[in-house]
């Protein structure tokens, strides 16, 4: 794939990634966020975090299945958007729901365990965002960098559990995310097992002409 096509793909992700935020800002300015605007903002930013996390983890399986190696160059931007919306999600909760009160926030987290699970997902994403640059990849080395970035699965699992725990009645959307994540995890495990499986040695018998 040509470099200009890859750059165009990155531009598409950049533009489409910011569209949900632009729509939220627009709707907020025009009072179109429903009867409970702060809850809508919190839920929407959380949803976008999960979507970008799942898209980030889908890049490698899709690359291996299709042979489109250029997809790997889009993964970093998807991951950074996941972290960006995760930060917005927490900021909306911390500001709109808890009034920037640290003590109030900690007290609420102790009462509602799903908040601890969600915070764990965000904390796990911090080292992933920090080490997303080419300089950090070079500094850590490819092997260590890849091992560290498997934490994305931990973040996604915590994110899905966080979403499921907070839903009061209709759990269909959390279960959809859980199903997609399960497929990606199973693929990762099967691929790891395939790579670890030793290749049978070829025994050449004397006089075989080989």
């Amino acid at each position: 794939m040509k470099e200009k096509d890859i750059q165009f793909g990155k531009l598409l992700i950049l533009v489409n990634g910011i569209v949900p935020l632009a729509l939220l800002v627009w709707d907020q300015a025009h009072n179109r966020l429903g009867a409970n605007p702060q809850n809508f903002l919190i839920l929407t930013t959380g949803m976008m975090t999960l979507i970008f996390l799942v898209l980030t983890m889908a890049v490698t399986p899709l690359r291996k299945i299709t042979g489109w190696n250029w997809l790997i160059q889009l993964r970093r931007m998807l991951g950074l958007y996941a972290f960006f919306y995760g930060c917005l999600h927490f900021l909306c909760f911390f500001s709109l729901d808890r009034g920037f009160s640290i003590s109030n926030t900690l007290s609420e987290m102790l009462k509602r365990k799903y908040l601890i699970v969600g915070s764990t997902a965000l904390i796990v994403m911090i080292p992933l965002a920090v080490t997303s640059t080419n300089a950090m990849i070079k500094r850590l080395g490819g092997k260590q960098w890849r091992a560290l970035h498997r934490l994305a699965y931990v973040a996604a699992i915590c994110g899905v559990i966080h979403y499921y725990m907070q839903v009061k009645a209709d759990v269909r959307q959390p279960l959809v995310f859980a199903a997609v994540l399960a497929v990606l995890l199973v693929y990762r495990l099967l691929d790891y097992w395939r790579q670890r499986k030793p290749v049978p040695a070829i025994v050449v018998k004397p006089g075989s002409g080989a």
Side-chain angles (χ1 to χ4, degrees):
M1 191 174 188
K2 296 180 180 179
E3 182 63 27
K4 64 178 182 179
D5 294 327
I6 295 174
Q7 293 302 321
F8 180 70
K10 290 181 179 180
L11 179 62
L12 284 179
I13 294 175
L14 178 65
V15 172
N16 284 281
I18 208 69
V19 164
L21 177 60
L23 292 175
L24 284 176
V25 172
W26 176 267
D27 289 341
Q28 170 70 14
H30 293 81
N31 298 314
R32 296 176 180 174
L33 296 182
N36 193 340
Q38 69 179 40
N39 190 54
F40 185 84
L41 286 169
I42 293 171
L43 288 177
T44 303
T45 51
M47 181 76 70
M48 294 309 303
T49 305
L50 276 179
I51 289 173
F52 277 107
L53 267 175
V54 170
L55 287 175
T56 301
M57 293 183 298
V59 167
T60 296
L62 187 59
R63 176 181 65 84
K64 291 185 177 181
I65 291 172
T66 61
W68 298 344
N69 293 324
W70 55 268
L71 287 173
I72 205 70
Q73 299 188 50
L74 308 179
R75 185 173 60 185
R76 182 186 308 178
M77 188 175 292
L78 292 170
L80 288 174
Y81 263 130
F83 180 65
F84 172 70
Y85 278 105
C87 290
L88 279 182
H89 179 61
F90 178 79
L91 182 60
C92 287
F93 166 74
F94 184 53
S95 60
L96 301 175
D97 195 73
R98 298 292 101 190
F100 291 105
S101 172
I102 296 177
S103 60
N104 198 315
T105 301
L106 293 176
S107 175
E108 188 72 5
M109 289 176 66
L110 291 176
K111 289 190 296 184
R112 305 184 188 280
K113 305 303 182 186
Y114 70 85
L115 295 175
I116 297 177
V117 178
S119 298
T120 301
L122 182 59
I123 291 171
V124 165
M125 283 194 284
I126 293 175
L128 304 184
V130 171
T131 59
S132 64
T133 63
N134 290 332
M136 287 302 298
I137 297 174
K138 185 176 181 180
R139 182 176 179 180
L140 290 174
K143 186 175 182 179
Q144 289 186 341
W145 186 87
R146 285 190 295 271
L148 175 64
H149 278 249
R150 292 192 185 104
L151 287 175
Y153 284 92
V154 177
I157 291 170
C158 288
V160 170
I161 294 173
H162 166 75
Y163 188 19
Y164 180 84
M165 290 175 68
Q166 77 171 41
V167 172
K168 300 295 190 297
D170 191 352
V171 297
R172 286 177 295 179
Q173 284 189 335
L175 289 179
V176 169
F177 276 108
V180 174
L181 181 59
V183 170
L184 293 174
L185 285 170
V186 169
Y187 177 88
R188 170 72 71 174
L189 290 172
L190 290 176
D191 186 60
Y192 176 78
W193 178 80
R194 180 183 60 82
Q195 292 182 25
R196 295 278 295 180
K197 188 177 181 181
V199 179
I202 300 176
V203 178
V204 179
K205 295 181 180 180
S208 61

